[in-house]
Amino acid sequence: MIENVPFTELISAERIAARVAELGAEISRDLAGIDELTVVCVLKGGFIFTADLVRHITIPCRIEFIRASSYGTHRASTGKVMLDHHHDPHVEGKNVLLVEDILDTGLTITRVLEELRGHNPASLHVCTLLDKPSARTTPVKADFTGFTIPDVYVVGYGLDAAGKHRELPYVASLNA
Ligand code: 5GP
């Protein structure tokens, strides 16, 4: 009997690995000339993507973390983005690459970008693994995007549903 899993694979681990390697190469090429890249990982969802991505970037990196939460344990955006200031990243005068798991409404990244710009970085680029452009309410675009996906709730490869499924090696949509 086939095990009844609560999700359906959308992007395999192999496709993710290949695309992350390509993204690392694109970033290294487009930002060539920079002597150091400050990679700011948006926690928690960005932790696996960031860890894999930086190993494909040939520019020397410094890794920082920022914690943003907008969803709590619900799947609908609360419209409010909370930033954890215990993790204030050191970005003043730095060339920054912000690494997100997913762009949905765009609220979170807009808030984080606003915060980072307030610290006067030398340059600021955004890389997201996943993009759901059809869900956007705030106009924002990533400089580097892994995969464009439809407006479905996804888990795995760092992304959770109420704290679960982050460890899945692939990206999956939750079954209703
Ligand atoms: P936004 O502020 O763009 O609506 O949402 C961004 C944040 O919401 C992401 O960093 C992520 O934490 C969460 N999010 C948005 N869509 C999804 C999704 O499909 N799956 C999961 N697990 N989180 C999502």
Side-chain angles (χ1 to χ4, degrees), residues 90-107:
H90 305 287
V91 299
E92 192 167 341
K94 308 278 190 195
N95 293 296
V96 176
L97 179 71
L98 186 63
V99 180
E100 254 281 34
D101 52 357
I102 187 163
L103 287 192
D104 186 24
T105 62
L107 270 168

Side-chain angles (χ1 to χ4, degrees), residues 2-124:
I2 298 168
E3 201 189 337
N4 196 11
V5 290
F7 36 76
T8 307
E9 183 175 302
L10 207 64
I11 310 171
S12 70
E14 292 73 21
R15 279 184 68 205
I16 295 171
R19 186 68 190 120
V20 171
E22 280 175 8
L23 279 174
E26 277 175 39
I27 291 164
S28 307
R29 190 188 57 230
D30 290 5
L31 305 185
I34 286 175
D35 58 346
E36 184 182 84
L37 191 59
T38 299
V39 176
V40 178
C41 166
V42 183
L43 293 172
K44 294 180 184 176
F47 81 110
I48 294 179
F49 177 41
T50 303
D52 285 345
L53 181 67
V54 292
R55 284 178 278 181
H56 292 284
I57 296 178
T58 53
I59 302 165
C61 292
R62 220 174 249 277
I63 323 289
E64 300 276 354
F65 298 90
I66 193 163
R67 174 117 192 242
S69 33
S70 63
Y71 274 28
T73 54
H74 301 285
R75 284 193 224 164
S77 180
T78 59
K80 271 196 186 153
V81 178
M82 286 167 295
L83 291 181
D84 176 358
H85 289 275
H86 293 293
H87 288 104
D88 261 348
H90 305 287
V91 299
E92 192 167 341
K94 308 278 190 195
N95 293 296
V96 176
L97 179 71
L98 186 63
V99 180
E100 254 281 34
D101 52 357
I102 187 163
L103 287 192
D104 186 24
T105 62
L107 270 168
T108 305
I109 203 76
T110 301
R111 179 73 189 86
V112 173
L113 285 171
E114 199 179 272
E115 177 78 14
L116 293 181
R117 283 195 188 105
H119 292 270
N120 301 314
S123 67
L124 187 50

